[in-house]
Amino acid sequence: MRQRYLAGRLASALLSLVAACASNDYTDVREYYFPTQELLSGRVYAYAAEMGDTTERRYWYYRTFPRDSGLFLAGTQYDHFFQINQIVREKIEPTGAIARQVLLYEPDSTGQKRIPTEAFIEADDLFPFRVRDSLGVFLYRLKYRPPSDTSAEIYLIRNRRYLGPGPDFELEGKKYPTIRFALREAVGHQAEGAAEIEGVGEEWYAKGLGLVYFRKTFGAQGQIQLAFRLRERFSMSELERRANDMWENANPPQK
């Protein structure tokens, strides 16, 4: 009887140890994603190019929205002409950020007007909150038909793999710890034939900030390369002011 009791206690202890070790295999990286509470009033992230034309900017306006069904984060991307390129709406789940809607702004058939086209999301993982090692792959995949040629179909496949801690990131005199993700992407165009280009890259996410750096290289010979780094954050009113200044400089009043 005593032997059975001791054996039972030993088995229970071993199970508890295995469970503890299994739970400790994962790392919580939630604080490295965009700060949802801070973004309740909205914030513009300005990313500067580090390859090619280093004056190029990409602006993302992020804002969170509490709803009865949960917490949502909306990101609107503007190019350096302050035109909308895309809008991504995601839901913040306990396990990570999940894509819920993607609108891509493309020229219409006349080429004179940019109109939104909703993409079909086939795999919705944007950012995991619990990671373990580089073997886990987080898949994001979508496709859409461009308004300029509705017979064609364009698709994006993006795999993310956690790489562990990255270098400190400095912004406005303050240093932030980061984590790194490896990227593997494929962008395809299907019409009468099919064409696809593959790329690899890396992302850095800083604690308390979110995405602060990314680089990508596409093509077998690395024909297409891009890299952007977060340079500043500011309000939407500041983005509007910059857009108005650009417009006024490009269209000075007639004398």
Side-chain angles (χ1 to χ4, degrees):
M1 178 69 74
R2 180 175 175 78
Q3 288 180 338
R4 286 201 300 268
Y5 173 76
L6 291 175
R9 290 292 300 272
L10 179 59
S12 178
L14 286 173
L15 287 174
S16 298
L17 179 60
V18 170
C21 291
S23 63
N24 290 334
D25 282 344
Y26 288 91
T27 301
D28 188 337
V29 295
R30 171 68 182 85
E31 292 184 333
Y32 290 84
Y33 201 52
F34 294 100
T36 52
Q37 292 304 310
E38 180 183 336
L39 295 175
L40 287 169
S41 56
R43 198 79 170 160
V44 176
Y45 283 55
Y47 297 89
E50 294 199 327
M51 291 182 177
D53 182 4
T54 55
T55 64
E56 184 181 353
R57 295 290 184 271
R58 290 185 183 178
Y59 303 97
W60 277 91
Y61 175 63
Y62 291 105
R63 187 173 180 182
T64 49
F65 297 89
R67 295 289 186 263
D68 291 341
S69 55
L71 184 65
F72 293 83
L73 174 65
T76 303
Q77 186 197 70
Y78 300 83
D79 62 20
H80 58 288
F81 294 116
F82 303 99
Q83 293 181 313
I84 296 178
N85 280 340
Q86 60 178 302
I87 298 175
V88 180
R89 297 186 176 98
E90 54 196 82
K91 187 176 183 182
I92 306 300
E93 298 279 11
T95 56
I98 306 299
R100 281 292 173 259
Q101 184 183 43
V102 177
L103 298 174
L104 302 169
Y105 283 71
E106 297 251 339
D108 63 9
S109 57
T110 68
Q112 302 298 314
K113 184 180 179 182
R114 295 166 64 88
I115 59 176
T117 300
E118 185 165 2
F120 177 71
I121 301 171
E122 297 181 307
D124 57 9
D125 284 338
L126 290 174
F127 187 92
F129 291 164
R130 296 180 73 226
V131 294
R132 183 161 55 182
D133 52 38
S134 61
L135 298 179
V137 175
F138 304 94
L139 177 62
Y140 177 61
R141 177 171 182 154
L142 57 81
K143 62 183 180 181
Y144 72 100
R145 295 189 180 277
S148 58
D149 182 8
T150 55
S151 65
E153 183 177 270
I154 297 175
Y155 63 85
L156 165 69
I157 304 171
R158 177 180 297 146
N159 289 333
R160 286 186 174 90
R161 289 188 300 109
Y162 176 64
L163 296 179
D168 285 349
F169 180 82
E170 186 170 345
L171 181 68
E172 298 173 350
K174 182 178 178 181
K175 291 185 177 181
Y176 299 82
T178 70
I179 56 173
R180 300 161 52 229
F181 283 87
L183 296 175
R184 181 170 293 275
E185 295 187 354
V187 180
H189 185 284
Q190 295 177 324
E192 295 181 358
E196 182 178 274
I197 185 170
E198 295 185 352
V200 295
E202 189 171 305
E203 292 177 329
W204 299 354
Y205 290 82
K207 190 174 183 179
L209 289 177
L211 180 64
V212 294
Y213 173 80
F214 66 90
R215 60 172 176 79
K216 299 178 184 179
T217 301
F218 289 91
Q221 305 300 320
Q223 302 95 320
I224 303 173
Q225 298 185 31
L226 56 90
F228 282 82
R229 182 181 296 267
L230 179 65
R231 289 300 185 193
E232 53 183 335
R233 298 189 304 162
F234 45 79
S235 65
M236 173 53 77
S237 60
E238 172 62 16
L239 185 72
E240 293 170 346
R241 184 193 67 78
R242 297 186 186 190
N244 289 334
D245 286 349
M246 187 199 71
W247 176 256
E248 290 175 357
N249 290 333
N251 300 275
Q254 299 295 323
K255 296 183 179 179

